[in-house]
Structure formats: structure tokens, C-alpha cells
Amino acid sequence: MTRLFSIVLMFSVVVIGNAQRKYRYAKASKELTTNVYFGETIEDPYQWMENPNDPRLADWLKSQKKLTDQQWKKRVNAISLSSQIASMYNNTFAEKKDHYKETVDSVKSKYQFRDKYVTSRRFPNLEYRLRGEKHYKKLVYIKDFQLDKDDHVSITDTYTNEDYDLIAIEMSHNGSDWREVYFYNLKTGEQLPDKLMNLRVGSNLFWEKDEFIYDAYDKPEKGRELLDKAKGQKLFRHKLGTWQSEDRLLYQNPDTTGTNDFRYFKLGGKLFFKHFYKVRGKTYKALSIGNILPQSFYLSKFLLYPNSKDIYVTIEAVFGDKVFLNTNWDAANGRVLAADISQLNKVVEIIPEYDILLTNVNKLGKEKIACIYSDKGKNSVLIYNLEGKLLRKIDFPEGKKLNDFYENDDDATHTDFSISSFYHPRIWYQLSLSDLTFKPAAVISVPYDAEDLETRYVTYKSKDGTDIPMYITCLKSTKLEGDNPTLMYGYGGYGFTVSPDFNESLTLWLLHGGILAVPNVRGGGAKGSEWGKAGRKLNKQNAIDDFIAGAEYLISEQYTNSQKLAINGGSHGGLLVGATITQRPELFKVAIAEAGAFDMLRFEKFTVGSVNTNANEFGSIENKEDYDNLKSYSPLHNIKEGVKYPNVLLITGAEDDRVPPFHSYKFLATLQEKASDTSLYQLYVVNGSGHGGALNTKDFSYKLLHKYSFLFDQLGIKIY
């Protein structure tokens, strides 16, 4: 996470509304725009906001910023909160940087790199030196790549080729999912003339001797870069000193619609491909070896498996001609298979499915693998040899997360791993790879007593009687008298599990007596693939019901009450928050939704909304059953006239091309038009930012301060 530097703020008092605390909102233009779905006409008066170049949008956003600024200036807690957040981040930043897991490459690397901050308004420059040299030299000066003064350019990845003293630098503008690549000579520090465009987030770029392998897409239509879906994925080989248009095509995605991507990565010196393959008219998923020859390229398939959205097969480790696979194929909780890459479908089971969830499979040195399991808020690691014999089991405490339990170096004698929680940074341990014993490797130092805090793992009943797990973190001294300020955080999609990771701002919340509740609702991955499926597509309401039931549990168990309860989520979690408050507004005092999808009837019309991952998660508006389901929970379409909703803060990136910001704009305009004006509905737009990231230090600081000062102020927490 970006380091937070000190912030200088100016304050004045501005009063908005009348004595009854009613808010006057600027009226947004409305148009008589309708869409017809299966014979049903749906009005969409703010559809014009989908066009980022509509001049009315700039005026409306200006009025929203004025409202947000007025409210911001009234928060007398902001100065103290700013100081405390800065102190927390500055103290823990050094702690987190002091110890990290060095990879084999970083330890043996010929060159060393570091970020160099010049101003909090820009991302850091990149400096480098030859290992052993005293001084770093400038390599990449970010300002040289800015299209204008407001362009936020960030380095998203680097690819070093030490054999040829070359480096490829991947960059993004304003947090976009579009990428471009530049090249440098590390001997001289000079930038080469080569430039690669139209790459996307998620690619695994790599060097092949002195040539560069990458995938790119068709050039987006000018002005539609943040709105249209990327199509035409192709794999190329670039020779330095030539134009990108001359690059040799190696492989072309047979899906020209942009719905399904092929994936590729290097592991153990081999190039692996995950793609689709047809046999007698039937489509399978395939794992293959990519063979790059001087004048040709071809795929050698070694595994075909069912083309099902509910089945995953991931390559985790390579040992000679064997790859170890983590999969839920015929095993809902996961198992480990070994596949022979020299033969098609020669697969054996190494580790069977157990009654607890397998979350990770990692290489552990030369002849071992580590399997990480999750059960009732606890992690366990089972260490096996390559024949599947159990060598050791290690159990870890409730409410802690196991991290970094791997070792890719065959010659290593020891490796480091860590455990984290919601309220302390990673604590590091050293593991002996010979006898599998471990000992502390570092002592953490934070500006508070971590022993004053605890995480409880509880379960509660959802609407249909399903047991839902939830982490509750608070001070040990917290009394359950029904009036504690409480923040619920949720995600609930794509099989993702929210686990105990440290966050400085949330820890500050806890130290001021706040409670953090994190329910792992259906749609996530807390209990395996079936758990995720139970909150997907036509089952999406289950995720919302689970989240609502979590709030009801916190109230019934006297943790809090509806006037002290806030909810927060980002991306899919933003959708979850929006759907929750439109269905049960009386349960909450505050809702903070970040980069949320709120118009589910128009979601698939833009960028990644209709790619395979999202189609599997939400369905398609082209299907009547999916349409009825999407409309039933779409936050925008369930706002009711005159209802008092919680006080709402929407946060979005102005350049978000994953969930375009118009979702937040349309949702806010509708709330301000229809809902009770006794609640506050406001917007915080981060200019030059994409989907929840790519923030420079200044923007990160202000976003953080806006979010938490709103939360502290709304729930009446005094900063001391």
C-alpha cells in the first residue's frame, strides 16, 4: 500500500440545509430515455451520464463536489484524524518494509531497483544500480510519460533481462486496465525507441533471449477506451529495434468477441497455456505447453477437462516432467493432482479431498509441497513429499492468516513465512526445510499494544437457515451493551474470500473503540466452490440476504444498533452495499460504497461487463430469467420514492474502465431525486484513478481521510 505522508489542510465552516437537517441537492438533467427488455419498458432518465464527454456531466459533477467539500469542511475531527492516520502509516510502513520474503531472483540479481518519490502528486520515479555499486542512478522519470499535467502515470510492472542488460517497463495512465511497455538498456540507462501499445492488465509478459513475448488487443476506438470491451487478443514476439506493427504473431485467440481470454505464464522454465479446445464439436478447457521456436510456435496439450464455470484447475509447481495441480474437479473442497506434461491426460491423485477447504498448494523447496487449509477461521499447513506422504502438520491460531508459505529455490535450506491479522502487520518466522521446525525471524514494533485487540470467529443464521461465518475484531475490553460503533465490510463475489489482512486505517478505527465485522457471505470462497456457486447468478440474492443477516446478528447480540452501524464494500462489495441498503435501509446509519456496480441492467454493455468471468457471476440481460433476477436486486432500479436511506458516501475513480464511474453517478442522481432528503447522499471522485487503485500519495491520503472522517463523524467517534 502506498505510504501516507503528512497532509496540510485548510478548514472553514459552511452550513448546508435547514434546521431540520434537510439537504438541498442540485437537480440533474433528465431525459425521456427508455430500454425495452422482454416487453417491459424501463425508464433510464440519467442514461446520458454514461457519456463521459457530455458537457452536462461536468456541471453536475461540479455541483456534487461543492456539496462534498461543504460537508468535508464541517468535520472538525479531520485534523486530528489526519495526524493519527499519518502516524499509523509512517510507523507501520517501516515495519512492513523491514522484512519481506526475498525471491531467489532478488537475492541473486545483477541489478537493484528502488522507487524515488519527488512529490506526493506523482508516482515515484524508478532508480537502479549494479549490485555492489554505492549510488543509484535515475532510470525512469515519470514526468516524461505524462500526456498532460493531470495525467497520473504509474509503473505497474518491470521485466528484467539480466543476460542482455535490458528491462521492460509496463505503465498505466490514470489506473486504466490498458497498458503500454517501454524498454531500457541497463548498461547505459538509455531508453530504447521501442514501444508496445494495447496491452491489458493480467498479462504475463516475459523475455525470450533478447526478444519480448506479450499479448495485445485490437486498438480501442478513440474516446471509447474506458467504455468498450477489449477484443482481438493475440500473442506476439517483439524484436528490439523494430516497430510493433512488425511483430510476429504466435497465437490468436479463437474467441474474437472478447468474452474468453487465453492465459499463459512461465513456471519452472516452461511456458504454460490455459485455453479452450474443441474436440468433435465439443469445447473443453485445456492446459498446454507453449513451444517457441525460431520460426514457429505450437501448443502441446497435456490435460483436457470439462468446460465448466464451476471447475478450476491451476498449475502450482513443476518438478521435471510433472506439474502439480490444485483443483476442485470432482472434489468441492479441493485436491492435488500430478499431470505428466509429456502425455495427454496422464493424471494421478497425489493428495485426496478432505473435509476442510484447500486454499493453496505451494512448492516448498526441492522435493516438498505445502498445502494450506482453512477451517472455522483457522489455517493449517500440511507438508507432503512428492509421493503424497504427510511429513508434518502445523496449525495456526483463529483469526490469523498464513502467508508466504513457499520456497521456489531448490537449493534453499530455510525459508520465511508470516502470519497476519486484521490488527497487526505480518509476523515473520523461519522454517527449516530439513526438519520442518520454525522459529521467530523478526519482532514487530507498532505504535499500540496489539495484545489489546482480538478477532472472534462466529457463525450466524441467514434467511434460509444457512450458517454464515463472520470475523469480529475489537478491543478485548469491548462491552456488548448494544451501542458500539460498528463497521461491516463485505465482498461476496467471484469466489473471493476476505481474510485477516492488516490495514492501518481499520486498526485506528479499532483502537478508538470501533468494531470491525467481516462476514464471508455466499458468493465468496470461504467454504469452497459450492459456497461461491450458492451466491452467483440466480443465487445472488443469497449473498445479499447473508449480509443483511450479519447486521441483524450484530444488533441482536448487542454489539451495536442500527444508529451505530455502517457498511462498506468495494467493486462487487460496492454492489453488495447498494443492494443491501435498497432492501433494508432501516438497518444502517451509514453506507460507503467504492467503485460499485449499481445499474445491473446496463453493466454488461461496457468494458469487462460481458466477459466470461462476469457472465458467470451475474448472467446476461439477454436471458429472461437472468434479466428478472438482475432487476430484482439492481441497486439503481430498487430506489423507492421518499424512503429514508442511510447516509451514503460513494467513491469512484474518474478513469475506472472496469466498473465505469457512471454507475455511481446514476445511482447518486436517483437517490438525490427520489429518496428522503433528510439523509446525506454524496460523491467523492478520485480524478486520474482507475478501479480502486493507481493512486499517488496525495490522492491516496485524501481519499482515505474523506472516507474515515465521514465514518468517524457519522457514528459519533471522538478522536483523542
Side-chain angles (χ1 to χ4, degrees), residues 462-634:
S462 189
K463 184 177 181 179
D464 62 0
T466 302
D467 286 328
I468 311 300
M470 179 160 62
Y471 293 107
I472 300 177
T473 305
C474 58
L475 291 166
K476 292 177 181 177
S477 59
T478 299
K479 296 180 180 179
L480 303 188
E481 297 177 343
D483 61 352
N484 297 299
T486 300
L487 175 64
M488 276 182 67
Y489 177 84
Y491 189 77
Y494 304 101
F496 176 76
T497 303
V498 184
S499 53
D501 275 323
F502 178 65
N503 179 288
E504 288 88 343
S505 301
L506 285 174
T507 301
L508 193 61
W509 164 262
L510 296 169
L511 293 172
H512 280 83
I515 293 175
L516 173 66
V518 181
N520 269 302
V521 303
R522 282 172 288 183
K527 293 188 177 183
S529 56
E530 290 301 311
W531 191 255
K533 187 177 178 180
R536 188 186 305 151
K537 290 184 76 171
L538 298 179
N539 297 321
K540 185 60 65 179
Q541 184 60 43
N542 284 339
I544 303 164
D545 288 341
D546 295 351
F547 201 55
I548 290 170
E552 293 174 330
Y553 172 87
L554 292 169
I555 293 171
S556 67
E557 294 300 309
Q558 294 293 297
Y559 282 93
T560 191
N561 62 69
S562 61
Q563 291 303 302
K564 288 285 188 176
L565 181 56
I567 51 175
N568 178 215
S571 193
H572 187 283
L575 163 64
L576 181 65
V577 168
T580 297
I581 65 170
T582 53
Q583 293 186 22
R584 292 294 302 277
E586 78 286 355
L587 274 179
F588 311 99
K589 176 68 178 296
V590 177
I592 303 174
E594 304 174 59
F598 302 119
D599 184 351
M600 296 310 295
L601 301 188
R602 302 278 293 172
F603 177 69
E604 70 181 87
K605 300 289 184 183
F606 300 91
T607 62
V608 299
S610 63
V611 301
N612 188 56
T613 302
N614 285 320
N616 290 339
E617 186 68 30
F618 303 112
S620 172
I621 202 69
E622 303 299 325
N623 177 282
K624 176 65 163 64
E625 194 174 25
D626 288 342
Y627 160 70
D628 290 336
N629 184 56
L630 288 163
K631 184 164 71 77
S632 72
Y633 68 80
S634 176

Side-chain angles (χ1 to χ4, degrees), residues 405-451:
F405 208 99
Y406 68 89
E407 181 52 66
N408 293 324
D409 184 3
D410 287 344
D411 297 325
T413 59
H414 297 79
T415 193
D416 289 353
F417 68 90
S418 65
I419 61 170
S420 60
S421 80
F422 287 114
Y423 54 87
H424 67 66
R426 296 186 178 193
I427 302 173
W428 289 89
Y429 298 85
Q430 185 180 82
L431 175 77
S432 166
L433 295 178
S434 56
D435 62 13
L436 301 180
T437 59
F438 62 94
K439 60 183 180 181
V443 177
I444 67 167
S445 177
V446 291
Y448 57 91
D449 189 349
E451 292 300 316

Side-chain angles (χ1 to χ4, degrees), residues 8-21:
V8 178
L9 301 171
M10 299 295 292
F11 294 91
S12 61
V13 177
V14 177
V15 179
I16 182 171
N18 57 29
Q20 287 74 42
R21 293 186 60 82

